[in-house]
Every structure is written in structure tokens, then in C-alpha cells.
Amino acid sequence: DYFTPSTAPLQGIQALVTAGPTHEAIDPVRYIANHSSGKQGYAIAAALQKLGANVTLVSGPTNLPCPAGVTRIAVQSALEMLAACEKSLPADIAVCAAAVADWRVDKIASTKLKKTSATSLPKLNFALNPDILASISRDGPNRPGLVIGFAAETEAVEENAKSKLARKGCDWIIANDVSPQTGTFGGDNNTVLLVDQTGSESWETMTKNAVAEKLAQRIVEKLKLNT
Ligand code: CTP
Ligand code: CA
């Protein structure tokens, strides 16, 4: 699509998008991670940019190229992702698509853990990571007018998404089933449910690019209603 500056529907809109996994270090050579590819978040960043938004993409480690015209801030850990998001506010819209690690290793070893004997196994202690979506949703005067989160579920998708919406204080949740048999994690398709305060709407299975474009369109409609 091509929009001249005067017709681009998100012209002048600042958008913050998080994407990808986070890597939580164990020692200088090891980390804990998850299977997020970053595809859905990158597709959303690209779709918003195409509609004229000024997009900052805060991304954990992925193999994806930065979408054209998007400003990417690359991070590793959840703590770095939160700091980068805070720096990128204020924004008009925030979409948190990152698969942020819920826990980090509480004391990262400064040297590589060694396997000193067959009987002594390393013990890892965890600390809870900050919830970036909840933090953006509760950011008082800096809160974006529209805050959208994802809910990665393997069961009771709608029910879990509704309680997440309330718990996090965001406006919409895009819920998806990430059970291994769905192929969502790493795959190109996604089957989602859009949940807001008033109810939920299920979208047919479509590519992650199509989900991104449909979501971007919904964002345009929502911002129009607010003006
Ligand atoms: N999220 C976040 N920061 C975290 C954890 C999650 O910003 N530390 C965001 C994700 O980007 C996503 C939403 O919160 O938009 C939901 O993530 P999810 O992992 O599904 O929810 P959790 O609250 O972590 O609950 P659980 O993993 O136990 O289902
Ligand atoms: Ca989680």
C-alpha cells in the first residue's frame, strides 16, 4: 500500500511494539529462552509503519530483519526490554507482542559454570521479571491511549485471556493458542481471539502478516472513534 503523508491514517501517531523472546543469562555463555520467533510482533510493527505511524520496535533476539522505516532497539533480557520501553514512551499506541521470560536467574554467574564433578549439579534460583505490559498499562500520565497485549495460552484460551486483560489493565488482548500442535510458535499462521472489556471476537486462521494488517486496521478505527 502507498499513502501520501496527508492520507496515511496513522500519520503523526507514535507506536511502541515489543517482539521476540528474551534471553535470560545464566552465566557468560548460557541463557534461558523460549520459542518465540518474533514474526507476529515484527509484522505488526511493519503494518503500523505502512499506515504512517512512527514505530519503535523493542526486540529481543530474533533472526528477522528490521522492517523498513521502523526504529529497532535490540535487547536481550526482560530488564533491558523494560528500560528500552520506558525510554520510548510517551506513545499513542503500545502493542506488547514479546514473549517476555517470566523469570530470570537471580544471580548471573560472572564466570562460566564448570562441571567440576559428576555429583555436584548447578542449582538455579529465579527472580520474577517485571511485567512490561502491566507497567505500560499503569503508567499514569504516560499511558498510551491504546495498550494491546497478547496472551499465549495452551488451554482455556478465552477464559485466561479475559483474566489477563483485567490483571494487566490493557485495553485489548490478542489471545492465541500456542500448543505445539498448532505450529504458532515459529510458524507463519496464527489463529487469534480479540478480547476487550465488552467481549471477544474470533478471527479465522490467517498468516501473521494478515493478523497484523487486520489489527492495524482495527487500531485505525479505534483511534478514529476517539477523535
Ligand atoms: N508480558 C510482559 N512482561 C512480562 C510478561 C508478559 O510484557 N514479564 C506481556 C506479553 O508481551 C504479552 C502479555 O504480557 O503481551 C501476556 O503474556 P503471557 O506470557 O501470556 O502472560 P503472563 O501474565 O506472563 O502469564 P502466564 O505466562 O503465566 O500465562
Ligand atoms: Ca508469561
Side-chain angles (χ1 to χ4, degrees):
D1 312 45
Y2 178 76
F3 295 97
T4 60
S6 59
T7 59
L10 295 178
Q11 184 69 29
I13 294 292
Q14 191 70 40
L16 167 62
V17 179
T18 73
T22 63
H23 285 185
E24 306 297 331
I26 297 170
D27 70 11
V29 300
R30 302 183 179 96
Y31 59 83
I32 294 171
N34 61 62
H35 290 299
S36 169
S37 63
K39 284 177 187 169
Q40 186 63 80
Y42 274 58
I44 292 166
L48 294 172
Q49 193 280 333
K50 275 202 223 159
L51 296 182
N54 197 347
V55 182
T56 300
L57 173 62
V58 177
S59 174
T62 71
N63 291 321
L64 303 173
C66 183
V70 167
T71 303
R72 176 166 62 178
I73 305 177
V75 299
Q76 298 278 325
S77 66
L79 290 176
E80 288 172 15
M81 187 173 276
L82 176 64
C85 287
E86 281 169 351
K87 267 198 188 164
S88 307
L89 292 174
D92 303 294
I93 315 161
V95 184
C96 293
V100 184
D102 292 319
W103 306 283
R104 66 181 179 273
V105 175
D106 72 343
K107 289 190 186 79
I108 302 171
S110 59
T111 55
K112 185 185 167 192
L113 300 179
K114 298 297 286 178
K115 87 185 149 177
T116 45
S117 81
T119 51
S120 102
L121 297 173
K123 293 267 179 302
L124 294 180
N125 287 311
F126 291 93
L128 186 65
N129 269 332
D131 191 313
I132 297 165
L133 172 61
S135 153
I136 293 173
S137 297
R138 305 224 155 82
D139 208 6
N142 258 347
R143 186 193 192 281
L146 182 58
V147 182
I148 304 168
F150 273 72
E153 307 292 349
T154 57
E155 59 186 349
V157 177
E158 179 162 7
E159 194 184 318
N160 285 333
K162 283 188 172 146
S163 65
K164 245 167 220 177
L165 183 79
R167 205 165 67 237
K168 309 231 177 204
C170 59
D171 301 298
W172 298 348
I173 287 267
I174 310 292
N176 57 0
D177 190 334
V178 294
S179 302
Q181 69 272 16
T182 64
T184 300
F185 255 152
D188 288 322
N189 288 331
N190 210 349
T191 310
V192 309
L193 198 66
L194 172 62
V195 179
D196 71 7
Q197 304 275 16
T198 62
S200 71
E201 178 187 287
S202 64
W203 294 1
E204 69 204 37
T205 300
M206 56 183 96
T207 64
K208 290 180 180 180
N209 284 331
V211 168
E213 276 162 20
K214 187 160 172 153
L215 180 63
Q217 213 45 62
R218 288 304 170 86
I219 290 171
V220 168
E221 286 160 21
K222 176 73 179 169
L223 296 186
K224 269 192 207 143
L225 289 178
N226 288 348
T227 55

